[in-house]
Amino acid sequence: MEAPDTLHSGSQPVLFAATVQDSAQFAEQIEVAMRVGQGGEVWTLLLQDSLSSNTALFGAMFDSTLAAGFSGTQTLQFQAAGAEASGSKTLTQEIYLENEPPVLFEPDTPDTLQRQTGARIQLYISASDPQGYGDIDSVYFKFRKPDGSFGGASQKAGGFHFVLVDNGSRHHGDEEEGDGRFAFNFSIVEDALLGTYTFIFCSRDKVGNLGGIVQADFELVPLARYQE
């Protein structure tokens, strides 16, 4: 086996490989499967080099996206198998997977809005993760009202969490599914307090890491009355 003992967060592609011996001199196609931990995703290592008539090197390049959903010391498992023959014994190697939290950036929120019942407040923010998009579990926000309380149907400690979406939902203003730009909108209620509101954006990855907080303020002002 050939694999690094540590895969750093945000790392560039690194070779993961296994050497296979086949007494039948590869008369049938051989595949080498690699997985992280038990029951995880299986990756197929492709033939890289025929070292002799009965020995070959199989491998593939993996970057830090391999660590999506994993953190800390994990077990790499390698097994070779043919279409008809039973699989080889499984070889294992420990690897430390560094997993850093997501990063939020480019918030797009209103600066000032008039208090008009039913008008919608549109929010956007981008998120990335050193282990790739697949490691992002959720992007969410809570908002603090002018009186210091938090908005939302729930009164849980720290405020209700509204989950932004990146699923192409037109209802929430998301333009493209899976592009890393998260969206959400909600309507202004009739008795909304006037004053300064603070949106507090947060993110979480699949191993529970919390990203840094991004905040943005907006002002809710009285509905302008125009006279002829």
Side-chain angles (χ1 to χ4, degrees), residues 2 8 10 17 23 31 50 53 63 71 74 79 83 94 108 126 136 148 150 158 160 172 175 179 182 189 211-212 215:
E2 178 183 346
H8 293 286
S23 59
E31 289 189 347
S50 295
S53 61
D63 59 19
S71 180
Q74 304 292 331
Q79 186 180 38
E94 287 192 346
D108 184 359
S126 294
I136 299 174
F150 287 90
F160 183 78
H172 285 304
E175 297 178 358
D179 64 352
F182 291 76
V189 297
Q215 296 189 170

Side-chain angles (χ1 to χ4, degrees), residues 20 42 45 63 114 117 126 169 218:
V20 178
V42 176
L45 305 186
D63 59 19
Q114 296 182 15
T117 302
S126 294
S169 169
F218 92 99

Side-chain angles (χ1 to χ4, degrees), residues 6-11 64 67-68 70-73 95-100 130-131 135 207 209:
T6 300
L7 189 62
H8 293 286
S9 184
S11 70
S64 60
F70 294 97
S71 180
T73 301
I95 184 172
Y96 182 83
L97 299 178
E98 184 180 43
N99 192 311
E100 294 294 324
Q131 287 65 242
D135 198 38
V207 296
N209 292 323

Side-chain angles (χ1 to χ4, degrees), residues 132-197:
Y133 181 87
D135 198 38
I136 299 174
D137 176 73
S138 58
V139 176
Y140 56 95
F141 75 95
K142 54 188 178 181
F143 67 91
R144 186 168 54 239
K145 299 179 181 180
D147 63 1
S149 65
F150 287 90
S154 169
Q155 298 299 315
K156 70 163 75 172
F160 183 78
H161 292 177
F162 297 85
V163 179
L164 292 93
V165 302
D166 186 18
N167 60 5
S169 169
R170 293 184 178 181
H171 174 72
H172 285 304
D174 186 48
E175 297 178 358
E176 182 178 349
E177 180 177 359
D179 64 352
R181 189 70 170 162
F182 291 76
F184 191 86
N185 64 50
F186 60 101
S187 59
I188 299 175
V189 297
E190 182 178 3
D191 58 351
L193 295 174
L194 298 175
T196 301
Y197 288 73

